[in-house]
């Protein structure tokens, strides 16, 4: 490999985060989402049974998404965008929404999409993206241009307003923070003359905001300013347990929270959500393989829905 090709490969690694791709000289091709982190959870294959009427294997993890009774379930939370777009298609008058986001990560990375004259395209081949046709989005998820961590940004561009209420366990010593969500564009790959869409989270007020980003570790105070817009409840199970974080093996976790403590936390969260339950129009749960250990998925999902259905 020449020095130029090696430099090119380094740039591809930075640009195509969480993607698989092939390279031949200065040519490259997307091959879908990267899934190397699935190997971090030794119990994953054994624990896939029971989440679908179909037999599941590791090869099915990236693509799994199903509507369940009262909620949507996916392994990779990229599929949350599909469920949200289905709701928006069925409710075309809705242009402003809230997202209550339980997650150990922000998920506001830029997708591999660019915007031109009000339309959206995939940066690698200029294929048009139609957010009004939810089922067509599956191709872009499977190709990797809408990916782990980048599935919220398209929704912010697509809608008139999106407010995100991000519940994260990391301490917020000064209470919940409130910042602006601003549309932006970045060109971070010199071989493509495309400015891909991006979302800036900023305290500045010199550009029109598409919504607000609230962040805190207490649900009661976090949703204190929520308006009455339709609300998506998005739960990534790594909010409760992020044992692997997608990049390290941890088969003997230290100070693992107990099921009793998790159940009490879920009860408390659902008690606060009871105040706004009438406006919650979609619940999507992502199990987060390679982050949240699969041994706990069934307990977390069942516990959450049990308490939520009581409010």
């Amino acid at each position: 490999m020449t020095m130029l090709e090696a430099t090119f490969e380094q740039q591809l690694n930075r640009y195509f985060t969480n993607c698989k791709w092939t390279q031949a000289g200065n040519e490259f091709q997307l091959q879908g989402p990267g899934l190397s982190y699935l190997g971090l959870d030794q119990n994953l294959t054994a624990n896939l049974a029971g989440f679908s009427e179909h037999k599941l294997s590791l090869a099915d993890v990236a693509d799994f998404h199903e509507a369940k009774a009262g909620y949507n379930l996916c392994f990779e939370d990229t599929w949350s965008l599909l469920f949200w777009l289905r709701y928006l298609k069925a409710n075309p008058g809705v242009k402003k929404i809230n997202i209550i986001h339980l997650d150990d990560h922000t998920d506001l990375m830029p997708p591999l999409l660019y915007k031109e004259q009000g339309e959206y395209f995939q940066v690698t081949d200029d294929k048009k993206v139609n957010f009004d046709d939810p089922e067509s989005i599956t191709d872009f998820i499977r190709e990797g241009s809408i990916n782990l961590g980048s599935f919220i940004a398209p929704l912010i561009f697509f809608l008139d307003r999106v407010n995100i209420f991000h519940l994260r366990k990391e301490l917020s010593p000064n209470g919940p923070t409130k910042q602006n969500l601003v549309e932006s564009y970045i060109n971070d790959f010199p071989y493509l003359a495309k400015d891909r869409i991006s979302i800036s989270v900023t305290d500045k007020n010199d550009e029109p905001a598409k919504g607000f980003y609230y962040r805190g570790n207490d649900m009661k105070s976090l949703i204190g300013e929520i308006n009455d817009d339709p609300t998506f409840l998005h739960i990534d199970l790594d909010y409760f347990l992020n044992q692997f974080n997608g990049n390290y093996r941890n088969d003997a976790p230290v100070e693992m929270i107990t099921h009793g403590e998790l159940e009490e936390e879920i009860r408390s969260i659902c008690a606060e959500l009871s105040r706004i339950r009438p406006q919650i129009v979609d619940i999507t749960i992502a199990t987060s393989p390679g982050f949240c250990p699969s041994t706990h998925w069934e307990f977390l999902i069942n516990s959450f829905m049990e308490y939520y259905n009581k409010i």
Side-chain angles (χ1 to χ4, degrees):
M1 179 180 292
T2 67
M3 182 70 71
L4 178 61
E5 288 174 337
T7 300
F8 183 61
E9 183 176 15
Q10 290 174 353
Q11 291 170 330
L12 284 170
N13 278 324
R14 288 196 299 267
Y15 189 71
F16 293 123
T17 305
N18 299 322
C19 291
K20 292 186 296 184
W21 47 270
T22 56
Q23 173 193 357
N26 284 349
E27 295 184 358
F28 58 90
Q29 182 177 7
L30 272 180
Q31 292 189 319
L35 302 170
S36 59
Y37 50 82
L38 296 185
L40 298 172
D41 186 345
Q42 289 186 322
N43 300 309
L44 181 56
T45 300
N47 289 326
L48 291 177
F51 288 98
S52 174
E53 61 183 19
H54 307 290
K55 185 177 180 180
L56 299 173
S57 68
L58 283 181
D60 302 308
V61 169
D63 208 54
F64 175 78
H65 56 285
E66 286 187 3
K68 302 290 187 178
Y71 68 102
N72 305 308
L73 179 65
C74 48
F75 292 153
E76 301 287 5
D77 58 4
T78 313
W79 293 101
S80 303
L81 179 61
L82 173 63
F83 295 122
W84 296 340
L85 292 176
R86 285 175 176 172
Y87 169 82
L88 293 170
K89 182 177 181 179
N91 298 271
V94 175
K95 301 298 181 183
K96 301 176 181 180
I97 60 103
N98 301 312
I99 300 175
I100 298 176
H101 182 54
L102 279 67
D103 201 313
D104 197 37
H105 307 87
T106 306
D107 289 340
L108 287 173
M109 295 169 62
L112 298 175
L113 306 176
Y114 71 94
K115 183 179 180 181
E116 188 172 273
Q117 297 181 347
E119 297 183 322
Y120 299 88
F121 304 87
Q122 188 167 243
V123 296
T124 50
D125 58 8
D126 302 318
K127 186 187 299 181
K128 184 177 177 180
V129 184
N130 182 6
F131 293 117
D132 289 314
D133 179 10
E135 305 315 311
S136 70
I137 299 300
T138 60
D139 291 339
F140 299 96
I141 293 175
R142 287 167 178 152
E143 289 181 35
S145 55
I146 300 173
N147 210 320
L148 192 69
S150 69
F151 60 94
I152 297 179
L155 196 72
I156 298 174
F157 270 80
F158 177 62
L159 292 174
D160 293 344
R161 182 175 69 201
V162 175
N163 293 324
I164 297 175
F165 298 82
H166 183 189
L167 186 69
R168 189 175 182 185
K169 290 189 177 184
E170 184 176 289
L171 293 177
S172 301
N174 299 320
T177 59
K178 178 182 178 181
Q179 296 173 286
N180 294 321
L181 294 169
V182 177
E183 290 181 355
S184 58
Y185 301 87
I186 59 171
N187 190 334
D188 51 352
F189 189 60
Y191 298 93
L192 288 173
K194 308 294 183 184
D195 295 337
R196 56 179 174 153
I197 63 174
S198 180
I199 295 297
S200 297
V201 179
T202 178
D203 295 315
K204 297 180 180 179
N205 294 308
D206 53 349
E207 295 183 66
K210 289 298 294 286
F212 296 110
Y213 172 75
Y214 301 82
R215 176 176 164 178
N217 62 351
D218 173 69
M219 180 65 83
K220 182 177 181 179
S221 57
L222 181 68
I223 62 175
E225 293 189 41
I226 198 167
N227 59 30
D228 59 0
D229 288 340
T231 299
F232 297 155
L233 177 57
H234 175 257
I235 303 166
D236 186 322
L237 295 187
D238 73 10
Y239 164 79
F240 296 103
L241 288 171
N242 185 5
Q243 182 175 329
F244 307 111
N245 203 35
N247 57 20
Y248 63 90
R249 192 61 165 268
N250 187 356
D251 294 324
V254 178
E255 298 180 358
M256 177 66 77
I257 191 170
T258 67
H259 278 191
E261 292 169 317
L262 286 169
E263 186 172 0
E264 175 57 26
E265 184 175 13
I266 289 169
R267 185 203 62 76
S268 177
I269 288 172
C270 289
E272 297 304 329
L273 290 175
S274 66
R275 297 186 288 131
I276 60 167
R277 177 164 181 173
Q279 70 188 72
I280 296 176
V281 296
D282 179 277
I283 301 173
T284 295
I285 300 175
T287 63
S288 204
F291 294 80
C292 178
S294 58
T295 304
H296 303 282
W297 291 357
E298 185 175 6
F299 167 79
L300 289 168
I301 294 168
N302 291 343
S303 295
F304 190 92
M305 292 311 302
E306 178 184 351
Y307 279 99
Y308 184 83
N309 288 330
K310 290 178 181 179
I311 63 176

